[in-house]
Amino acid sequence: MKRLLAVAFLLPLILCGEKRAETAAVSPALKLTPRRIALANGKQFSLNLPEGFDIKVAQDGLRRVRFMALSPDNRIFVTDMYNRADNKRGAVYILTDFDKSAGRFAKRVTYMTGLRNPNSIAFHTDASGRDWFYLALTDRLVRYRYTRGEEKLSGAPEVLATYPDYGLDYKYGGWHLTRTIAIGPNRKLYVSVGSSCNTCEEKEEIRATVTEMDIDGKNQKIIARGVRNAVGLKWARGELFATNMGADHLGDDRPADTLFIVEEGKNYGWPYCYQYQARIIADPRFASSQKKLSCKEVPLAYAAFSAHSSPLGLEYFDDADATPELRNHFLVALHGSSKISLNHGYRVARVAKGGAIDDFVTGFLQGRTINGRPADVLRYGKDGFLLTDDHAGVIYYVFKN
């Protein structure tokens, strides 16, 4: 199988205003072998995983299943956007009664329905011990008081922020529908809002940014700009990491899609600059713009994926007792290019400290047949993780034998 991720870059990191080079970690070599998948709808195919790992269908029969979160009472919550259109048919489900031997959740409960493109969710227990459930929709960010053990949401939402939601068109690279949230160890809430277009100079300040706010929505401020579509946000190693998708008008091999560290005050280039082969390059479309950015000010990414790989959710495995194949690595869900012939994405990538990249799960694209499109990764147990697939409507459980 043609490998998308054969080239890894040792990229400089810019942390706290100072340049720092980080050496790529030495990772155990991965040899991928096929595992047979059989879905409830009768479809069968193989996914390729590292030797010593196996995969089970933990839940299927869903629609456009997206991002996951672990609740304070140790239940899995997952969003479902229903389809690729701008709609109000989204839902949040609770998965419980996990049978480890079968690798499957025995029970699925509908927690919320009638939602406009629910992508990202999070939980937080505040200083007074109250639990909160956070939900990012296209037009707003809300939170609810969370009651442990409940199967239906009770109480009214608090609207923490509102976002532009007009002129949406999901056929092409712009007008991004999703909002993503992450809660930091500093008890701050972070929100990414995508651009309104494939490539343009935005009229609304909130577009193509990452925002920081207090956990109750107060003291909102933009901390990073030039982020075209950062669908994945994850705190790891005391830093906020984000995946980002580059523009679609520069050809099949550029710009790189990226994983970077969000630093306050930084501009990550879009639409004026992009990354290609460990260089930051000016987009000629904006050469005469009075607003253009100096590309020398744009930091290189922590890791760079092939163009149009579409990185979404990510997870970091930092526990000392994690299996060596995962320890100190990110797993990133590469959703895949809409141009199937590129064979870019459609896999789960492993990213080592320092940015070296290799494949961890492949087989979602076989020839011109799409078996799935990875969306999010969530650690589950010591040496396992859950993986959502928003094309087949499946959640997989991947684990070390």
Side-chain angles (χ1 to χ4, degrees), residues 299-347:
L300 283 167
Y302 180 83
F305 308 102
S306 294
H308 318 301
S309 296
S310 300
L312 298 182
L314 66 160
E315 182 64 288
Y316 186 67
F317 296 80
D318 58 355
D319 287 359
D321 62 349
T323 184
E325 292 91 346
L326 293 173
R327 187 184 309 134
N328 298 325
H329 289 78
F330 286 98
L331 290 183
V332 182
L334 301 183
H335 196 237
S337 171
S338 58
K339 187 175 182 179
I340 295 174
S341 61
L342 293 178
N343 190 24
H344 289 183
Y346 295 96
R347 63 198 66 209

Side-chain angles (χ1 to χ4, degrees), residues 14 201 225-226 265-274 279-283 286-287 289-300:
I14 304 176
E201 293 181 320
R225 302 176 187 273
K266 292 292 184 182
N267 190 311
Y268 291 86
W270 183 89
Y272 308 105
C273 311
Y274 64 90
R279 293 185 298 136
I280 304 298
I281 300 171
D283 187 333
F286 298 95
S289 172
Q290 295 182 348
K291 299 180 181 180
K292 68 180 180 181
L293 178 71
S294 170
C295 295
K296 293 180 180 179
E297 300 174 6
V298 177
L300 283 167

Side-chain angles (χ1 to χ4, degrees), residues 122-138:
F123 291 89
H124 178 71
T125 302
D126 66 22
S128 66
R130 290 175 297 185
D131 295 325
W132 296 94
F133 171 69
Y134 292 79
L135 171 65
L137 305 170
T138 294

Side-chain angles (χ1 to χ4, degrees), residues 24 52 198 226 257 303 355-356:
N198 175 46
D257 282 350

